[in-house]
């Protein structure tokens, strides 16, 4: 996942790692350029070690974890110089390119892999969709964009990544705030691994029940260059808050268990306000592009009602009608801008109207480009970007409610394949 943000505020940018993942979908460094556990000069490394020891001592005292265990587990921690370059913001001359971004993620290889992943997990995806209200297509789209279903989960040791970014973040204007965020994530990693290793929390200065091998294996697992883990690329704080045991084996494994990953993505979306049966976005009417441009401010906040946008010509009347696949007229929206250079290098912008569910996807990865790509990936898998409402039936019968994609799921189940729209 990459730090590209579509004119979001600096506060939102700083909050990036507190979402499900910390960077854009599993952007991997070239293995030939990846330098794992390479030390910098002695002075820098000494300062790094001192700062790490101070944090370890603080965590040990506050959480009751024996300090000697933490010191031993982190004794071989090193900085990774290459990731300091990977987290740097784009240069001032860099032009955001929605077209290139979309092409990178919504392409034949990922779509083919998505259909295969859906077929392999069809029954479980249907179960999760019914229970959470989060469409199967959306879950499949997120995991596909993040890691191509586990093919690209990162090749850096997570404790090295988080320690490097916590104590050796590159010189940027937000260096202090970013380091603090990664210190927090490092603590979350320790607490997560302590529990995963069988240790109790609060530990009360005891390692009783701890499996040292499992504890260290957790600290040493691979992650992205920003510390995101597993098929859905969750940061340690998100794993502790939103990850669930989907396969019921008593252990959460986002690296190998597709069911754990599926259930965790759905749980994250549900807890961040996903509205079951509601669309994600609406296209802007071509005749109202100028109006959309005037309303677009880059703020990730729902500001304008659907009725207001209908009155301005940005949306059609039927998009404010639940029976026509729209939403309620008083539903709040935001204007999403997706800039790109045309073939002549001139600046262009595509505008869409984001609804509540669009903003929920933004909570997973704080980028308009990302959220729109997820929506369009899901559509390519067959997601109907419209509302699902009760269907009138005979008065003698109970009202029948069509659950999101239920009819499509039945068809897919019967044919044992996923249809592409």
């Amino acid at each position: 996942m990459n730090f590209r943000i579509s004119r979001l505020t600096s506060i939102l940018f700083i909050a990036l790692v507190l979402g499900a993942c910390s960077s854009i979908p599993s952007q991997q460094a070239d293995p030939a350029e990846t330098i794992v556990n390479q030390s910098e000069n002695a002075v820098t490394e000494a300062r790094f070690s001192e700062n790490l020891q101070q944090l370890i001592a603080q965590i040990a005292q506050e959480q009751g974890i024996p300090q000697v265990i933490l010191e031993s587990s982190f004794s071989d921690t090193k900085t990774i110089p290459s990731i300091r370059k990977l987290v740097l913001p784009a240069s001032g001359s860099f032009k955001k390119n929605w077209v290139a971004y979309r092409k990178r993620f919504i392409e034949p290889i990922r779509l083919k892999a998505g259909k295969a992943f859906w077929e392999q997990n069809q029954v479980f995806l249907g179960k999760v969709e019914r229970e959470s209200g989060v469409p199967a297509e959306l879950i499949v789209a997120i995991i596909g964009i993040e890691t191509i279903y586990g093919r690209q989960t990162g090749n850096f040791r997570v404790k090295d990544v988080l320690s490097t970014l916590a104590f050796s973040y590159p010189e940027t204007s937000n260096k202090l705030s970013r380091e603090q965020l990664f210190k927090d994530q490092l603590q979350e990693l320790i607490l997560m691994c302590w529990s995963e290793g069988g240790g109790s929390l609060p530990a009360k200065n005891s390692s009783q029940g701890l499996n040292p091998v499992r504890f260290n294996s957790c600290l040493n697992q691979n992650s992205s260059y920003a510390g995101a883990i597993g098929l859905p690329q969750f940061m340690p704080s998100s794993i502790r808050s939103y990850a669930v045991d989907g396969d019921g084996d008593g252990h959460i494994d986002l690296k190998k268990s597709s069911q754990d990953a599926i259930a965790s993505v759905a749980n994250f979306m549900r807890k961040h306000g996903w509205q079951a049966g509601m669309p994600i976005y609406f296209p802007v009417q071509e005749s109202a592009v100028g109006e959309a441009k005037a309303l677009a401010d880059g703020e990730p906040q729902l500001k304008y009602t659907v009725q207001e946008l209908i009155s301005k010509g940005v949306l059609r009347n039927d998009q404010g009608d639940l029976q026509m696949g729209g939403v309620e007229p008083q539903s709040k929206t935001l204007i999403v801008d997706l800039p790109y250079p045309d073939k002549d290098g001139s600046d262009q912008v595509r505008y869409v109207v984001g609804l509540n569910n669009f903003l929920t996807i933004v909570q997973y990865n704080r980028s308009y480009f990302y959220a729109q790509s997820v929506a369009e990936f899901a559509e390519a898998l067959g997601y109907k970007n419209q509302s699902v409402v009760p269907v009138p039936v005979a008065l003698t019968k109970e009202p029948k409610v069509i659950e999101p994609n239920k009819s499509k799921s039945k068809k897919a189940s019967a044919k044992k394949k996923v249809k592409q729209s």
Side-chain angles (χ1 to χ4, degrees):
M1 309 159 93
N2 169 347
F3 290 105
R4 294 176 185 148
I5 307 238
S6 181
R7 293 175 55 194
L8 301 185
T9 60
S10 58
I11 293 178
L12 186 57
F13 179 79
I14 289 174
L16 179 60
V17 294
L18 298 182
C21 43
S22 69
S23 51
I24 267 202
S26 296
Q27 180 178 346
Q28 303 295 321
D30 184 333
E33 296 179 356
T34 300
I35 305 173
V36 180
N37 294 340
Q38 174 179 319
S39 298
E40 291 183 299
N41 63 60
V43 174
T44 301
E45 202 64 38
R47 184 167 59 248
F48 167 84
S49 297
E50 181 181 355
N51 290 333
L52 177 59
Q53 289 300 315
Q54 289 177 356
L55 181 64
I56 285 175
Q58 177 184 330
I59 294 173
Q61 181 178 7
E62 293 177 352
Q63 302 298 327
I65 297 175
Q67 185 172 335
V68 64
I69 292 180
L70 294 184
E71 289 176 346
S72 175
S73 297
F74 280 86
S75 62
D76 61 342
T77 306
K78 303 293 183 182
T79 57
I80 309 175
S82 60
I83 68 170
R84 301 179 68 226
K85 296 179 181 178
L86 291 171
V87 300
L88 285 172
S91 65
S93 61
F94 173 79
K95 283 190 175 182
K96 297 182 179 69
N97 191 332
W98 157 246
V99 174
Y101 184 100
R102 183 188 188 281
K103 185 177 180 180
R104 177 186 171 195
F105 296 109
I106 306 177
E107 46 81 28
I109 292 177
R110 285 181 200 261
L111 290 173
K112 181 179 179 180
K115 294 175 184 179
F117 182 82
W118 193 346
E119 184 173 349
Q120 294 163 3
N121 297 280
Q122 190 175 59
V123 174
F124 188 71
L125 279 163
K127 175 178 179 291
V128 170
E129 180 177 304
R130 289 190 297 272
E131 293 176 351
S132 68
V134 181
E137 299 96 328
L138 186 90
I139 298 170
V140 174
I142 287 175
I143 298 175
I145 288 178
E146 291 296 336
T147 62
I148 319 183
Y149 311 101
R151 297 183 192 178
Q152 298 178 349
T153 57
N155 52 3
F156 298 97
R157 201 167 60 169
V158 65
K159 74 180 183 185
D160 292 335
V161 169
L162 296 178
S163 297
T164 297
L165 297 178
F167 304 113
S168 188
Y169 199 85
E171 295 298 328
T172 60
S173 60
N174 61 349
K175 174 182 170 70
L176 293 179
S177 60
R178 298 298 289 172
E179 286 189 334
Q180 184 58 54
L181 285 173
F182 283 107
K183 288 176 186 176
D184 294 342
Q185 290 300 317
L186 186 57
Q187 173 166 311
E188 293 287 343
L189 174 70
I190 291 172
L191 298 181
M192 177 186 83
C193 293
W194 186 263
S195 295
E196 187 169 316
S200 60
L201 286 173
K204 297 180 180 178
N205 290 306
S206 172
S207 59
Q208 185 176 0
L210 178 71
N211 182 325
V213 174
R214 181 175 289 182
F215 176 60
N216 283 293
S217 176
C218 177
L219 293 175
N220 292 323
Q221 67 184 299
N222 285 351
S223 76
S224 73
Y225 67 82
I229 295 169
L231 276 73
Q233 292 288 271
F234 274 20
M235 293 297 287
S237 61
S238 289
I239 293 176
R240 296 191 71 216
S241 298
Y242 308 111
V244 294
D245 177 14
D247 57 22
D249 67 353
H251 173 62
I252 297 174
D253 185 355
L254 299 183
K255 300 182 293 298
K256 297 179 180 179
S257 172
S258 295
Q259 292 188 354
D260 287 0
I262 289 167
S264 296
V265 170
N267 189 50
F268 181 96
M269 299 302 288
R270 182 179 62 83
K271 288 192 174 181
H272 282 80
W274 180 267
Q275 294 179 346
M278 290 292 106
I280 298 170
Y281 75 99
F282 289 139
V284 166
Q285 296 302 293
E286 290 186 11
S287 59
V289 170
E291 188 68 37
K293 179 179 180 180
L295 296 175
D297 58 10
E299 296 286 341
Q301 298 177 12
L302 300 173
K303 293 183 177 181
Y304 311 106
T305 67
V306 168
Q307 187 58 56
E308 287 175 322
L309 296 185
I310 290 174
S311 67
K312 293 177 182 295
V314 176
L315 295 179
R316 302 189 309 267
N317 287 333
D318 60 284
Q319 289 167 329
D321 185 345
L322 281 169
Q323 298 296 325
M324 299 295 290
V327 296
E328 294 181 349
Q330 296 308 308
S331 297
K332 289 292 188 71
T333 70
L334 71 158
I335 303 297
V336 176
D337 57 328
L338 305 167
Y340 64 94
D342 62 20
K343 61 181 180 180
D344 298 321
S346 299
D347 294 336
Q348 303 294 332
V349 182
R350 177 190 172 195
Y351 295 97
V352 300
V353 175
L355 304 171
N356 176 83
N357 284 344
F358 183 93
L359 204 56
T360 300
I361 301 173
V362 171
Q363 301 306 309
Y364 196 98
N365 183 301
R366 299 176 187 268
S367 161
Y368 285 171
F369 280 15
Y370 177 84
Q372 187 64 22
S373 291
V374 167
E376 295 188 20
F377 195 114
E379 287 181 293
L381 292 173
Y383 170 68
K384 305 302 181 185
N385 186 39
Q386 59 188 31
S387 62
V388 180
V389 295
V391 176
V393 293
L395 295 178
T396 56
K397 297 180 180 180
E398 289 293 325
K400 178 182 179 182
V401 178
I402 298 180
E403 298 177 359
N405 302 310
K406 184 175 181 180
S407 59
K408 173 162 50 56
S409 295
K410 286 183 177 180
K411 185 181 295 183
S413 177
K415 295 185 178 181
K416 293 296 181 180
K417 68 178 183 179
V418 178
K419 299 179 69 177
Q420 179 179 355
S421 62

